[in-house]
Structure formats: structure tokens, C-alpha cells
Amino acid sequence: MAQRHLDPTDPTAAAGPPPVPAGGDALADYLRAQATEFLRALRLHRESGAGAHGNGAHPSGAHPSGAGALDRGRGRGPVPAPDGPVDAARALRRAARRLSGTLHTFQPLLDAEWAEAMRPELAWLSGTLALEHAYASRLDRLLQALHRLSGSAAFPAQQQAGRAAPARAAATADPAPVAPLAPSVTRPSPADRGNLTVGAAKAGALLDRQLTLARTRAHSTALQALGSSRFHAVADKVALLASEVPLKDTAAAAADLRPLAAAARDRLTDAVAALPLVTAGNPYNAQALVHGLSPDPAPHPQDAQWHQVRLLLRLHRYALEVLAGADADGADGTTDVRLLAAGEALDRHRDASEAAAAAAQAARTPRIAPATAYALGVLHADQRHEVEAARYAFQHSWRKEPIRL
């Protein structure tokens, strides 16, 4: 009845429409700005990590390979500040995602051959750089959940905060041990694991081994990617994009961007309409347990729909940034807080569903003790409840009236 004016994807649903730029020139400005951010993050990546090892330069001197930037905390050469390479890699992924998403939405206004070749390369780079962080976050999430489910006095992050400074001092005094890949502020120490039951402790150790191995492989993959000719080709194209945007023709410079942005909004609206929002409106969704004992490694077919909505919501947000002429942080004040809240809920949904899959995969390890399998089963159920909580939070924020800051 009154559902139409509650559509959070409608940029005119708030107090007046956002300022619409003249046309394709605004698209070119946005792409140049994101390309500049990409190159700035790339330079920071080299200066904070690769430059310290002296092996991060491009053969032509133009771009870093990034090998030294990711090769941190492993006992090989000087260790840079912990936040430098991490922040640089995050900024690099962020700019690559926005470039790829904008090329996807506004491709009809750009040179077709160039956009078709550029977009998958940016998506490859962003996905490759995100894997290492994803495995580390997944392990921290599962270990904290084990402590919470075991009734520990404090979360690992709280217990480790007081020991962070002595640990750093010890690491400086004795450079021989190899530093762990996962962040030390959230990884439970052996003393913390003593608060767990035997099954939970062994489950945490099993998850630690499996996900640390996966992160190490992702680390090596990122090193190879940042040192490859494929990456340097992408960096060279982005450098050209920072100065010249290949629009389709002269008419594209004056084209109206609103129809293409509306198409991105409509794709998101259709995908949300296909979601079981009525079921997600209940705090407890018993139907989510139907496939709980399935032998299929991916027994939750609903997850794919929600992951797709998350990607479409991100594309819609990028399109609104182009329309508003905003920078990546929405500094012009037109950010819809509902879209931000919905995006955060979908991020939590993705993290919880992948953590549940990791717990289920660990439970399939041959010859583990029954107590370990039981702890992993409880952990899997806990993360699936987190999935349902994230779906509930999404539908709750999605149905709110728009508020623009």
C-alpha cells in the first residue's frame, strides 16, 4: 500500500533529490578520482613495506611489485609499522572495487573493449588482495565465538590487550621467532585456551591450523599477484585512467547518468524482492535448519541470494556516489544511513555464513575426537544463528524511512 515510498534504494525518497551533475563528465571525474586513490594507495604500499626491503620496484621504475609490502611479520628483513601495509592494501582494494563497480554500471558510456578488459582485472586484483584478510578475520571470529560459547571471563581481544605491549617488546628483543600471520591482539594465547573445554580447545587448534594454512597460501598468492606482469599491466592502465577516461564518444560526455543508475537500483530492488524477507522478519528462522545435516558441503542455498544482494547494494551505492559527485566517503553529506546499515548487516551475514562453512569443513576432518566434533557442531550452529540475526537486521533497516546525512 505505502511500500513504494519506503524503498531505500530511491535517491528521491529523502528530502529532495541529490544534485545531479551534467552528465558523463561527472563519471569521468569520479573515475579519475578513484584512479588517483588507487595510485596513492599503491605508492603507500611500496613506501610502507616493499620499499623497506628494496625489492618492490617495477622493472621500469614506475610501479612496485608489492612483494615486500605483504611480506611482513615473517622474520625476513625489517618489519614495517603494522598498520601501514594493511591500510594501504585496504585502500587499494577499496579503489579497485569502486573502479570495477563503476565500469560495470556505466559501461554503455565507456569504450566497450577497454571496459570489458579492465573490469575483470580490477575484480581479480581486489579479490586476490582480500583473501588473506578474510581468512584472518574468519579465524578471529571463530575463536572468539568459542570463548563466548565456553563462558570465558573475557573475550580474547580483552585478555590480550594488556599483554600487547610486552609482546611487542619481546618480539623486538628476540627477532628469531617467526611472528604469527593473524593479528596478535585477537588471537587467544595458550593460557586463554586453558579456559576452554577439551573439545573446544582442540576445535580451536584445528581451526587455527586450517585457516592459518589457508591464509599463508593466500599471502603467497597475493605476493605472486603483486609481482606479476598482470598486476603491472593493471597499474599502468589505471595510471592512464587517472589522466584520460576513454568515453565511448563525444556524446557520452553530455549523457544523462540517471537511467543507468536507476537500472542498478532496479536490479537491487528486484533481488531484494526475491529474498524471504517475511521469514527474515522473525528473530528465529527454523527453516534455516532444514539442511543442517546435509552431506552437501554447501547446504544453505539461500546464502547465495543474500550474497548477490550485497554485491548489488554495493554497486547501487557506487552509482549514487557518481550521481552526487561525492568522494568515496560521501563527504558531500548525501549518504543514506539506511543503505550503510543494510550494507553492514549484509557484511555480517557474509562473515557469519563463511565462518559457519569453515566450522563445518573442520568438522569433516577424519579421525577427530567426538568432543572436538561436538564443539565444531555447536560453533557451526552459533554462526548460522548469527546469519539469521544479520538477515533480521537487514530487513529491519531496509524497511525504515530514508534518512540522509
Side-chain angles (χ1 to χ4, degrees), residues 75-239:
R76 294 199 292 264
V79 178
D83 292 338
V86 174
D87 291 341
R90 183 181 297 113
L92 197 61
R93 297 197 312 266
R94 185 170 174 268
R97 284 198 309 265
R98 277 174 163 76
L99 285 171
S100 178
T102 304
L103 294 183
H104 175 80
T105 301
F106 299 100
Q107 182 172 341
L109 300 180
L110 301 166
D111 180 83
E113 183 177 355
W114 174 84
E116 282 290 343
M118 189 69 172
R119 184 168 56 86
E121 294 301 294
L122 290 168
W124 160 77
L125 176 61
S126 175
T128 301
L129 296 180
L131 283 177
E132 183 180 359
H133 172 73
Y135 285 122
S137 299
R138 196 172 306 159
L139 177 59
D140 292 336
R141 180 186 185 91
L142 289 170
L143 294 182
Q144 290 192 25
L146 278 174
H147 279 261
R148 173 171 49 81
L149 294 170
S150 301
S152 297
F155 290 108
Q158 297 171 334
Q159 295 171 344
Q160 288 285 72
R163 293 191 294 269
R168 284 194 295 268
T172 305
D174 184 13
V178 177
L181 285 174
S184 60
V185 295
T186 54
R187 180 74 67 84
S189 68
D192 296 327
R193 289 176 182 170
N195 297 327
L196 302 177
T197 63
V198 174
K202 289 185 176 181
L206 178 60
L207 290 169
D208 196 339
R209 288 196 302 271
Q210 292 185 350
L211 291 177
T212 300
L213 176 60
R215 185 186 178 185
T216 303
R217 291 173 175 171
H219 179 87
S220 300
T221 301
L223 288 177
Q224 294 174 3
L226 291 177
S228 65
S229 59
R230 182 180 183 182
F231 168 73
H232 294 309
V234 173
D236 290 338
K237 291 180 180 179
V238 173

Side-chain angles (χ1 to χ4, degrees), residues 23-34 110 241-242 244-245 247 257 322:
D25 288 339
L27 173 61
D29 292 341
Y30 183 83
L31 290 175
R32 280 194 292 264
Q34 295 304 321
L110 301 166
L241 179 62
E244 181 180 0
V245 177
L247 296 175
L257 302 179
V322 177

